[in-house]
Amino acid sequence: EDQVTQSPEALRLQEGESSSLNCSYTVSGLRGLFWYRQDPGKGPEFLFTLYSAGEEKEKERLKATLTKKESFLHITAPKPEDSATYLCAVQPAGAGSYQLTFGKGTKLSVIP
Amino acid sequence: SQTIHQWPATLVQPVGSPLSLECTVEGTSNPNLYWYRQAAGRGLQLLFYSVGIGQISSEVPQNLSASRPQDRQFILSSKKLLLSDSGFYLCAHSTPYGYTFGSGTRLTVV
């Protein structure tokens, strides 16, 4: 069974204080690992897809990395507007593997 | 560009009442469509997915059902709501680059 564990559950940072969010996964063959941002009362917003170990992607203050067992979302010099819940999900490889398995998310609060 | 519409945004329904949530997608044909539920303190749970008109796969046995009457329309229904059906319901479709979610429906069963 595919599993995704995100840590920490919640993270409070001062504005400008860089940190990382962790996503550990177990999947029988990985087609893709996804990162989403979710604001309260809204649907998840797509950030990144990573496909293979060693891959990195960046967008503004966010950088996602992938190994064979986990992914990290690095946040450099965060701002209050980066406050949100960040979700990680995996899609298994194989025919008919349409669904994503999500972690419970990390709720990030950036304090001015 | 692809757009996914979901309504209503919020809904308060009494126990035992019926439910119908609608999702439509624009800008793509024959999309894979999904219904997820997000409960407090839990991750997103896949409820149903559909790869075409009339084709529905259920992932979790429950009080809900889904239908796909048209290529870009996906409906989540219940004949009699339970308190445990409360949650945040999200429709999504998949692309080669990821999944796009609708804005969600907050359902409260009272």
Side-chain angles (χ1 to χ4, degrees):
Chain A
E1 182 179 337
D2 303 334
Q3 289 189 336
V4 178
T5 303
Q6 291 188 247
S7 61
E9 291 185 11
L11 181 62
R12 285 172 61 92
L13 298 174
Q14 291 292 321
E15 184 172 2
E17 179 187 2
S18 301
S19 188
S20 295
L21 313 182
N22 177 263
C23 171
S24 298
Y25 65 90
T26 303
V27 65
S28 54
L30 180 69
R31 174 173 290 180
L33 183 141
F34 301 79
W35 281 100
Y36 288 86
R37 169 193 170 124
Q38 186 175 24
D39 293 302
K42 303 285 184 64
E45 175 187 343
F46 172 76
L47 293 174
F48 305 107
T49 306
L50 302 168
Y51 296 102
S52 58
E55 187 175 1
E56 299 182 350
K57 290 191 176 175
E58 290 187 65
K59 179 180 179 180
E60 297 180 353
R61 294 177 293 282
L62 301 176
K63 179 181 176 180
T65 62
L66 180 65
T67 72
K68 289 187 177 180
K69 294 183 178 181
E70 57 191 351
S71 176
F72 292 94
L73 185 65
H74 307 277
I75 303 177
T76 302
K79 298 182 178 181
E81 53 261 43
D82 294 322
S83 297
T85 295
Y86 290 86
L87 301 173
C88 172
V90 297
Q91 183 182 20
S97 59
Y98 302 102
Q99 62 181 353
L100 301 184
T101 298
F102 281 84
K104 295 182 180 181
T106 293
K107 184 176 181 180
L108 174 66
S109 301
V110 182
I111 312 303
Chain B
S1 64
Q2 298 161 1
T3 306
I4 185 165
H5 299 281
Q6 192 178 339
W7 67 92
T10 59
L11 192 59
V12 180
Q13 292 284 97
V15 169
S17 64
L19 173 74
S20 180
L21 302 180
E22 188 165 345
C23 170
T24 60
V25 181
E26 295 179 356
T28 184
S29 59
N30 196 30
N32 291 338
L33 297 174
Y34 310 82
W35 278 110
Y36 280 86
R37 178 170 59 199
Q38 188 174 36
R42 302 184 62 182
L44 274 78
Q45 179 186 37
L46 179 65
L47 302 176
F48 301 95
Y49 70 90
S50 172
V51 301
I53 296 174
Q55 300 179 61
I56 308 295
S57 296
S58 175
E59 291 298 310
V60 182
Q62 60 220 319
N63 185 42
L64 303 169
S65 62
S67 62
R68 187 165 175 178
Q70 300 181 43
D71 181 46
R72 289 173 286 179
Q73 183 185 32
F74 202 23
I75 297 172
L76 183 69
S77 304
S78 174
K79 292 182 178 178
K80 290 185 178 182
L81 284 169
L82 306 173
L83 287 174
S84 57
D85 292 323
S86 294
F88 191 50
Y89 289 82
L90 289 156
C91 180
H93 78 95
S94 55
T95 75
Y97 310 105
Y99 285 55
T100 300
F101 286 85
S103 54
T105 295
R106 172 71 60 189
L107 172 65
T108 303
V109 183
V110 296

